[in-house]
Amino acid sequence: MEGIISFISTTAVRPASPEESTKRIELTPWDLQLLLLGYIKKGLLFLKPTPGPEENGLETMTAIVDHLKTSLSRALDFFYPLAGRLGTTVNDDDDTTCFFIDCNGAGAQFIHAAAGGVTVADILEPVYVPEIVSSFFPLDGVQNYHGVTQPLLAVQVTELVDGIFVGCTLNHVVGDGKSFWHFFNSWSEISRSPNKISVSPVFKRWFGDDTHYPIRIPQSAMVFDRPITSSPVQEMVFRSSKEKIAGLKARANAEMGTDRISSLQALLAHLWRCTIRTRRLPEDQETSYHLSIDMRTRRRPQMPQQYFGVAVQRGTLTMKVGELLGMGLGHVAWQMNKMISTFTEVEATNFLESWAKDPKPISYSTVPMSNALIMASSPRFNVYGTDFGWGRPVAVRSGGGIKFDGKTTISQGAEEGSIDIEVCSSPETLQGMLEDADFMGAVTASSNFFV
């Protein structure tokens, strides 16, 4: 694998039919809490379309890139905030700043690149996710608050020898994972059938009843830091099949005499137990799992599923290592189930109103990193339905930026009902997971997906 990235062109893509008036979208505590964190970076790997008898590779790729730019421009008609920037109002009277989305049509960034000598197999077959994957995403090192001057959306289309990687980078203040895939799916839908999308986004923000906006954020709270990592980390992708997940779910529910433990809760409990077991920690040491919980269905009246913004809160389950490993899969999954059930409409409203009164964006120093796992994304997102007109993707990968020991990215697998787990951890922990018979009894390593 040569791995030399060449950048062919960079273009600002604006909505095809820009509106005359500039819109301003206020931001909620759910949005604003993410100012100091990084952009969402997810991308899809496709096999390169077979050229016709009179086409050569350059013409085919040029046509594909031009078509993607055109369809992106049309998609921005529906998702117009993504062509804007973050706006700010500085309040000198109390040294605070208000952030909002300025729908000014400045444009999304579109990059056409090529990875010389890199094949689809070079991306999919290694045990560890190759480092070159991080270069398939734009806006490296950019944080959400940089959206004042940086694009809120950037796309990089990278040509491989026999494939195409479409990487999207989205400002996390503007949308969460559900919103990200709503956009990605809609863009591909427009690529197949111009000017139509199945589900239109709703940009009207939801606030607590006593939340006054725009919310003033003290300058003293806008301090960016980076997670402390004790050792270099690698990434590995595991897949659990529909049948293996069903087995974990049945086992967890049987152990607890219930039917309320979900497939995902059972799988995450299995992952958590294996990761901590591999680290060989003392029984009295604490470990935690941080999950992103979608609050759309927990508000009354319910927020629309097409709500485009951030509607997640962080849930944390903490246990002693002895309890985690000694009480069994069912106990851990059941505790996770009970923790998630506490996130009600009241909890959502309390969070929105209390945060607005004392706004403190999340920083990495406020998230316990020691012996913790942090979940990102969801298997419910329609990853493999993202078809631009030349077929389904063969894999999904996340971008670089800030990766730390314990970050886990969950996504829909290629086979129906399967789930992929991208684990970021030390090489020693990942090797231990590969050697853990209980863990590997429920998953397959990515290097074996295509054997």
Side-chain angles (χ1 to χ4, degrees), residues 273 283 318-328 331-332 335:
R273 297 180 76 239
E283 289 193 354
T318 300
M319 289 186 181
K320 293 288 182 66
V321 170
E323 179 185 5
L324 179 76
L325 302 182
M327 296 294 288
H331 173 78
V332 178
Q335 297 307 311

Side-chain angles (χ1 to χ4, degrees), residues 240 248 251 264-277 289 329 332-333 336 373 421 433 436-443:
S240 190
L248 288 174
R251 173 179 150 195
L264 183 58
Q265 290 161 8
L267 180 61
L268 294 180
H270 184 65
L271 171 65
W272 189 15
R273 297 180 76 239
C274 169
T275 304
I276 298 304
R277 183 167 59 237
Y289 208 143
L329 175 71
V332 178
M336 191 175 292
L373 272 68
I421 312 166
M433 295 171 76
D436 188 299
D438 181 45
F439 180 66
M440 295 305 297
V443 302

